[in-house]
mmCIF file of all heavy atoms in Angstrom:
data_model
loop_
_atom_site.group_PDB
_atom_site.id
_atom_site.type_symbol
_atom_site.label_atom_id
_atom_site.label_comp_id
_atom_site.label_asym_id
_atom_site.label_seq_id
_atom_site.Cartn_x
_atom_site.Cartn_y
_atom_site.Cartn_z
ATOM 1 N N VAL A 993 -157.846 159.326 126.610
ATOM 2 C CA VAL A 993 -157.349 159.647 127.955
ATOM 3 C C VAL A 993 -157.969 158.685 128.976
ATOM 4 O O VAL A 993 -157.271 158.111 129.813
ATOM 5 C CB VAL A 993 -157.665 161.128 128.309
ATOM 6 C CG1 VAL A 993 -157.539 161.383 129.798
ATOM 7 C CG2 VAL A 993 -156.732 162.052 127.526
ATOM 8 N N THR A 996 -156.541 155.125 128.458
ATOM 9 C CA THR A 996 -155.154 155.014 128.947
ATOM 10 C C THR A 996 -155.134 155.030 130.475
ATOM 11 O O THR A 996 -154.464 154.205 131.120
ATOM 12 C CB THR A 996 -154.298 156.179 128.391
ATOM 13 O OG1 THR A 996 -154.478 156.236 126.985
ATOM 14 C CG2 THR A 996 -152.825 155.999 128.709
ATOM 15 N N ALA A 997 -155.905 155.954 131.048
ATOM 16 C CA ALA A 997 -155.928 156.066 132.515
ATOM 17 C C ALA A 997 -156.487 154.789 133.138
ATOM 18 O O ALA A 997 -155.988 154.328 134.179
ATOM 19 C CB ALA A 997 -156.760 157.280 132.914
ATOM 20 N N ILE A 1000 -153.787 152.136 133.193
ATOM 21 C CA ILE A 1000 -152.767 152.417 134.226
ATOM 22 C C ILE A 1000 -153.349 152.095 135.610
ATOM 23 O O ILE A 1000 -152.714 151.464 136.447
ATOM 24 C CB ILE A 1000 -152.304 153.895 134.154
ATOM 25 C CG1 ILE A 1000 -151.687 154.185 132.773
ATOM 26 C CG2 ILE A 1000 -151.312 154.207 135.261
ATOM 27 C CD1 ILE A 1000 -151.312 155.637 132.536
ATOM 28 N N LEU A 1004 -152.016 149.445 138.343
ATOM 29 C CA LEU A 1004 -151.641 149.945 139.672
ATOM 30 C C LEU A 1004 -152.385 149.179 140.760
ATOM 31 O O LEU A 1004 -151.801 148.776 141.773
ATOM 32 C CB LEU A 1004 -151.994 151.442 139.741
ATOM 33 C CG LEU A 1004 -151.648 152.146 141.033
ATOM 34 C CD1 LEU A 1004 -150.136 152.336 141.128
ATOM 35 C CD2 LEU A 1004 -152.338 153.505 141.101
ATOM 36 N N LEU A 1032 -144.678 151.520 131.213
ATOM 37 C CA LEU A 1032 -145.069 152.279 132.391
ATOM 38 C C LEU A 1032 -143.900 152.355 133.367
ATOM 39 O O LEU A 1032 -143.624 153.399 133.957
ATOM 40 C CB LEU A 1032 -146.282 151.605 133.042
ATOM 41 C CG LEU A 1032 -147.083 152.429 134.018
ATOM 42 C CD1 LEU A 1032 -147.532 153.728 133.368
ATOM 43 C CD2 LEU A 1032 -148.294 151.650 134.475
ATOM 44 N N VAL A 1036 -142.388 156.037 134.840
ATOM 45 C CA VAL A 1036 -142.569 156.554 136.194
ATOM 46 C C VAL A 1036 -141.246 156.760 136.926
ATOM 47 O O VAL A 1036 -141.212 156.825 138.130
ATOM 48 C CB VAL A 1036 -143.543 155.690 137.030
ATOM 49 C CG1 VAL A 1036 -144.923 155.734 136.434
ATOM 50 C CG2 VAL A 1036 -143.032 154.270 137.160
ATOM 51 N N GLU A 1038 -139.757 159.463 136.912
ATOM 52 C CA GLU A 1038 -139.917 160.753 137.572
ATOM 53 C C GLU A 1038 -141.048 160.627 138.581
ATOM 54 O O GLU A 1038 -142.105 160.087 138.278
ATOM 55 C CB GLU A 1038 -140.315 161.812 136.541
ATOM 56 C CG GLU A 1038 -139.125 162.462 135.882
ATOM 57 C CD GLU A 1038 -139.597 163.565 134.976
ATOM 58 O OE1 GLU A 1038 -140.261 164.492 135.487
ATOM 59 O OE2 GLU A 1038 -139.318 163.477 133.776
ATOM 60 N N LYS A 1039 -140.801 161.181 139.779
ATOM 61 C CA LYS A 1039 -141.753 161.014 140.870
ATOM 62 C C LYS A 1039 -143.134 161.589 140.520
ATOM 63 O O LYS A 1039 -144.162 160.966 140.769
ATOM 64 C CB LYS A 1039 -141.177 161.708 142.115
ATOM 65 C CG LYS A 1039 -141.623 161.136 143.438
ATOM 66 C CD LYS A 1039 -141.146 159.729 143.690
ATOM 67 C CE LYS A 1039 -141.799 159.114 144.925
ATOM 68 N NZ LYS A 1039 -142.043 157.710 144.677
ATOM 69 N N ASN A 1040 -143.127 162.775 139.872
ATOM 70 C CA ASN A 1040 -144.426 163.421 139.620
ATOM 71 C C ASN A 1040 -145.224 162.735 138.526
ATOM 72 O O ASN A 1040 -146.322 163.125 138.207
ATOM 73 C CB ASN A 1040 -144.251 164.911 139.325
ATOM 74 C CG ASN A 1040 -143.528 165.135 138.015
ATOM 75 O OD1 ASN A 1040 -142.988 164.196 137.431
ATOM 76 N ND2 ASN A 1040 -143.509 166.372 137.562
ATOM 77 N N MET A 1041 -144.645 161.697 137.912
ATOM 78 C CA MET A 1041 -145.391 160.972 136.876
ATOM 79 C C MET A 1041 -145.994 159.692 137.446
ATOM 80 O O MET A 1041 -146.687 158.963 136.747
ATOM 81 C CB MET A 1041 -144.473 160.628 135.704
ATOM 82 C CG MET A 1041 -144.075 161.852 134.899
ATOM 83 S SD MET A 1041 -142.998 161.423 133.572
ATOM 84 C CE MET A 1041 -144.136 160.950 132.288
ATOM 85 N N GLU A 1042 -145.711 159.432 138.695
ATOM 86 C CA GLU A 1042 -146.133 158.154 139.258
ATOM 87 C C GLU A 1042 -147.612 158.190 139.666
ATOM 88 O O GLU A 1042 -148.036 159.086 140.408
ATOM 89 C CB GLU A 1042 -145.280 157.849 140.491
ATOM 90 C CG GLU A 1042 -145.224 156.392 140.771
ATOM 91 C CD GLU A 1042 -144.076 156.052 141.713
ATOM 92 O OE1 GLU A 1042 -143.207 156.901 141.918
ATOM 93 O OE2 GLU A 1042 -144.095 154.951 142.237
ATOM 94 N N PRO A 1043 -148.402 157.234 139.152
ATOM 95 C CA PRO A 1043 -149.786 157.166 139.622
ATOM 96 C C PRO A 1043 -149.828 156.693 141.073
ATOM 97 O O PRO A 1043 -148.918 155.966 141.494
ATOM 98 C CB PRO A 1043 -150.418 156.136 138.688
ATOM 99 C CG PRO A 1043 -149.332 155.479 137.939
ATOM 100 C CD PRO A 1043 -148.063 156.184 138.206
ATOM 101 N N PHE A 1044 -150.849 157.090 141.807
ATOM 102 C CA PHE A 1044 -150.895 156.639 143.200
ATOM 103 C C PHE A 1044 -152.337 156.489 143.679
ATOM 104 O O PHE A 1044 -153.270 157.018 143.082
ATOM 105 C CB PHE A 1044 -150.107 157.586 144.111
ATOM 106 C CG PHE A 1044 -150.653 158.987 144.127
ATOM 107 C CD1 PHE A 1044 -151.564 159.396 145.105
ATOM 108 C CD2 PHE A 1044 -150.268 159.909 143.155
ATOM 109 C CE1 PHE A 1044 -152.069 160.680 145.115
ATOM 110 C CE2 PHE A 1044 -150.772 161.203 143.149
ATOM 111 C CZ PHE A 1044 -151.676 161.593 144.140
ATOM 112 N N VAL A 1050 -157.905 156.953 143.033
ATOM 113 C CA VAL A 1050 -156.688 156.656 142.264
ATOM 114 C C VAL A 1050 -156.390 157.888 141.412
ATOM 115 O O VAL A 1050 -157.292 158.455 140.804
ATOM 116 C CB VAL A 1050 -156.907 155.437 141.338
ATOM 117 C CG1 VAL A 1050 -155.666 155.182 140.482
ATOM 118 C CG2 VAL A 1050 -157.234 154.197 142.135
ATOM 119 N N TYR A 1051 -155.111 158.288 141.402
ATOM 120 C CA TYR A 1051 -154.705 159.478 140.638
ATOM 121 C C TYR A 1051 -153.707 159.072 139.553
ATOM 122 O O TYR A 1051 -152.707 158.424 139.840
ATOM 123 C CB TYR A 1051 -154.053 160.517 141.560
ATOM 124 C CG TYR A 1051 -155.026 161.084 142.570
ATOM 125 C CD1 TYR A 1051 -155.253 160.446 143.794
ATOM 126 C CD2 TYR A 1051 -155.729 162.243 142.277
ATOM 127 C CE1 TYR A 1051 -156.161 160.955 144.711
ATOM 128 C CE2 TYR A 1051 -156.647 162.763 143.184
ATOM 129 C CZ TYR A 1051 -156.860 162.117 144.399
ATOM 130 O OH TYR A 1051 -157.759 162.611 145.286
ATOM 131 N N ILE A 1052 -154.027 159.442 138.329
ATOM 132 C CA ILE A 1052 -153.114 159.167 137.215
ATOM 133 C C ILE A 1052 -152.665 160.517 136.650
ATOM 134 O O ILE A 1052 -153.467 161.216 136.010
ATOM 135 C CB ILE A 1052 -153.806 158.371 136.070
ATOM 136 C CG1 ILE A 1052 -154.765 157.299 136.589
ATOM 137 C CG2 ILE A 1052 -152.784 157.837 135.078
ATOM 138 C CD1 ILE A 1052 -154.129 156.086 137.199
ATOM 139 N N PRO A 1053 -151.421 160.895 136.871
ATOM 140 C CA PRO A 1053 -150.979 162.219 136.414
ATOM 141 C C PRO A 1053 -151.174 162.405 134.907
ATOM 142 O O PRO A 1053 -150.924 161.480 134.121
ATOM 143 C CB PRO A 1053 -149.486 162.238 136.768
ATOM 144 C CG PRO A 1053 -149.355 161.242 137.865
ATOM 145 C CD PRO A 1053 -150.358 160.176 137.585
ATOM 146 N N LEU A 1054 -151.602 163.606 134.533
ATOM 147 C CA LEU A 1054 -151.820 163.892 133.101
ATOM 148 C C LEU A 1054 -150.525 163.808 132.313
ATOM 149 O O LEU A 1054 -150.530 163.435 131.148
ATOM 150 C CB LEU A 1054 -152.433 165.296 132.939
ATOM 151 C CG LEU A 1054 -153.907 165.423 133.286
ATOM 152 C CD1 LEU A 1054 -154.371 166.861 133.104
ATOM 153 C CD2 LEU A 1054 -154.737 164.487 132.403
ATOM 154 N N VAL A 1055 -149.397 164.159 132.970
ATOM 155 C CA VAL A 1055 -148.116 164.076 132.239
ATOM 156 C C VAL A 1055 -147.827 162.629 131.832
ATOM 157 O O VAL A 1055 -147.262 162.385 130.771
ATOM 158 C CB VAL A 1055 -146.910 164.650 133.047
ATOM 159 C CG1 VAL A 1055 -146.773 166.133 132.834
ATOM 160 C CG2 VAL A 1055 -146.979 164.289 134.503
ATOM 161 N N THR A 1056 -148.220 161.694 132.689
ATOM 162 C CA THR A 1056 -148.015 160.277 132.346
ATOM 163 C C THR A 1056 -148.885 159.909 131.153
ATOM 164 O O THR A 1056 -148.438 159.268 130.205
ATOM 165 C CB THR A 1056 -148.412 159.383 133.546
ATOM 166 O OG1 THR A 1056 -147.785 159.894 134.695
ATOM 167 C CG2 THR A 1056 -148.026 157.933 133.324
ATOM 168 N N ILE A 1057 -150.149 160.334 131.225
ATOM 169 C CA ILE A 1057 -151.080 160.016 130.133
ATOM 170 C C ILE A 1057 -150.598 160.668 128.832
ATOM 171 O O ILE A 1057 -150.613 160.056 127.768
ATOM 172 C CB ILE A 1057 -152.507 160.478 130.505
ATOM 173 C CG1 ILE A 1057 -152.999 159.650 131.700
ATOM 174 C CG2 ILE A 1057 -153.457 160.359 129.318
ATOM 175 C CD1 ILE A 1057 -154.277 160.149 132.322
ATOM 176 N N PHE A 1058 -150.097 161.900 128.962
ATOM 177 C CA PHE A 1058 -149.648 162.629 127.762
ATOM 178 C C PHE A 1058 -148.438 161.965 127.112
ATOM 179 O O PHE A 1058 -148.222 162.095 125.905
ATOM 180 C CB PHE A 1058 -149.302 164.076 128.132
ATOM 181 C CG PHE A 1058 -148.878 164.903 126.948
ATOM 182 C CD1 PHE A 1058 -149.776 165.209 125.929
ATOM 183 C CD2 PHE A 1058 -147.572 165.368 126.821
ATOM 184 C CE1 PHE A 1058 -149.388 165.955 124.819
ATOM 185 C CE2 PHE A 1058 -147.173 166.116 125.720
ATOM 186 C CZ PHE A 1058 -148.093 166.414 124.724
ATOM 187 N N SER A 1059 -147.663 161.241 127.929
ATOM 188 C CA SER A 1059 -146.453 160.645 127.351
ATOM 189 C C SER A 1059 -146.763 159.406 126.504
ATOM 190 O O SER A 1059 -145.879 158.855 125.859
ATOM 191 C CB SER A 1059 -145.458 160.293 128.448
ATOM 192 O OG SER A 1059 -146.046 159.310 129.252
ATOM 193 N N PHE A 1060 -148.017 158.975 126.508
ATOM 194 C CA PHE A 1060 -148.387 157.849 125.636
ATOM 195 C C PHE A 1060 -148.515 158.358 124.194
ATOM 196 O O PHE A 1060 -149.187 159.357 123.945
ATOM 197 C CB PHE A 1060 -149.701 157.205 126.118
ATOM 198 C CG PHE A 1060 -149.478 156.255 127.245
ATOM 199 C CD1 PHE A 1060 -149.139 156.742 128.508
ATOM 200 C CD2 PHE A 1060 -149.536 154.889 127.057
ATOM 201 C CE1 PHE A 1060 -148.889 155.870 129.559
ATOM 202 C CE2 PHE A 1060 -149.282 154.011 128.099
ATOM 203 C CZ PHE A 1060 -148.951 154.504 129.360
ATOM 204 N N PHE A 1070 -149.169 169.525 125.549
ATOM 205 C CA PHE A 1070 -149.762 169.217 126.851
ATOM 206 C C PHE A 1070 -150.897 170.210 127.161
ATOM 207 O O PHE A 1070 -151.942 169.836 127.688
ATOM 208 C CB PHE A 1070 -148.667 169.283 127.933
ATOM 209 C CG PHE A 1070 -149.166 168.881 129.284
ATOM 210 C CD1 PHE A 1070 -149.502 167.561 129.566
ATOM 211 C CD2 PHE A 1070 -149.331 169.834 130.280
ATOM 212 C CE1 PHE A 1070 -149.984 167.191 130.814
ATOM 213 C CE2 PHE A 1070 -149.818 169.476 131.544
ATOM 214 C CZ PHE A 1070 -150.142 168.145 131.800
ATOM 215 N N LEU A 1073 -154.015 169.190 125.487
ATOM 216 C CA LEU A 1073 -154.638 168.065 126.193
ATOM 217 C C LEU A 1073 -155.499 168.609 127.339
ATOM 218 O O LEU A 1073 -156.666 168.234 127.484
ATOM 219 C CB LEU A 1073 -153.556 167.108 126.732
ATOM 220 C CG LEU A 1073 -154.008 166.099 127.784
ATOM 221 C CD1 LEU A 1073 -154.937 165.051 127.175
ATOM 222 C CD2 LEU A 1073 -152.813 165.399 128.431
ATOM 223 N N LEU A 1083 -160.900 165.385 137.307
ATOM 224 C CA LEU A 1083 -159.486 165.604 137.608
ATOM 225 C C LEU A 1083 -159.289 165.857 139.097
ATOM 226 O O LEU A 1083 -160.235 166.178 139.837
ATOM 227 C CB LEU A 1083 -158.957 166.814 136.829
ATOM 228 C CG LEU A 1083 -158.997 166.731 135.297
ATOM 229 C CD1 LEU A 1083 -158.517 168.039 134.680
ATOM 230 C CD2 LEU A 1083 -158.159 165.571 134.767
ATOM 231 N N SER A 1084 -158.042 165.738 139.548
ATOM 232 C CA SER A 1084 -157.689 166.085 140.927
ATOM 233 C C SER A 1084 -157.920 167.585 141.116
ATOM 234 O O SER A 1084 -158.040 168.325 140.135
ATOM 235 C CB SER A 1084 -156.220 165.743 141.180
ATOM 236 O OG SER A 1084 -155.415 166.409 140.216
ATOM 237 N N GLY A 1087 -155.909 169.809 139.161
ATOM 238 C CA GLY A 1087 -156.043 169.579 137.714
ATOM 239 C C GLY A 1087 -154.866 168.847 137.082
ATOM 240 O O GLY A 1087 -154.768 168.776 135.865
ATOM 241 N N SER A 1088 -153.999 168.264 137.908
ATOM 242 C CA SER A 1088 -152.794 167.653 137.317
ATOM 243 C C SER A 1088 -152.948 166.155 137.047
ATOM 244 O O SER A 1088 -152.080 165.546 136.427
ATOM 245 C CB SER A 1088 -151.593 167.869 138.242
ATOM 246 O OG SER A 1088 -151.757 167.080 139.409
ATOM 247 N N ALA A 1089 -154.050 165.551 137.553
ATOM 248 C CA ALA A 1089 -154.188 164.096 137.394
ATOM 249 C C ALA A 1089 -155.643 163.719 137.150
ATOM 250 O O ALA A 1089 -156.563 164.404 137.605
ATOM 251 C CB ALA A 1089 -153.678 163.391 138.657
ATOM 252 N N VAL A 1090 -155.810 162.626 136.415
ATOM 253 C CA VAL A 1090 -157.156 162.069 136.255
ATOM 254 C C VAL A 1090 -157.461 161.309 137.535
ATOM 255 O O VAL A 1090 -156.597 160.598 138.066
ATOM 256 C CB VAL A 1090 -157.208 161.109 135.045
ATOM 257 C CG1 VAL A 1090 -158.534 160.354 134.999
ATOM 258 C CG2 VAL A 1090 -156.993 161.867 133.749
ATOM 259 N N MET A 1091 -158.658 161.487 138.045
ATOM 260 C CA MET A 1091 -158.999 160.859 139.322
ATOM 261 C C MET A 1091 -160.139 159.852 139.145
ATOM 262 O O MET A 1091 -161.106 160.134 138.445
ATOM 263 C CB MET A 1091 -159.435 161.954 140.287
ATOM 264 C CG MET A 1091 -159.589 161.498 141.702
ATOM 265 S SD MET A 1091 -160.298 162.815 142.675
ATOM 266 C CE MET A 1091 -162.024 162.558 142.391
#
Side-chain angles (χ1 to χ4, degrees):
V993 164
T996 309
I1000 300 175
L1004 181 73
L1032 197 55
V1036 296
E1038 272 185 59
K1039 208 66 189 143
N1040 67 349
M1041 290 179 85
E1042 204 163 346
F1044 62 94
V1050 177
Y1051 294 86
I1052 321 287
L1054 284 179
V1055 273
T1056 311
I1057 295 170
F1058 182 66
S1059 64
F1060 279 71
F1070 184 70
L1073 165 69
L1083 298 177
S1084 56
S1088 70
V1090 171
M1091 190 187 86

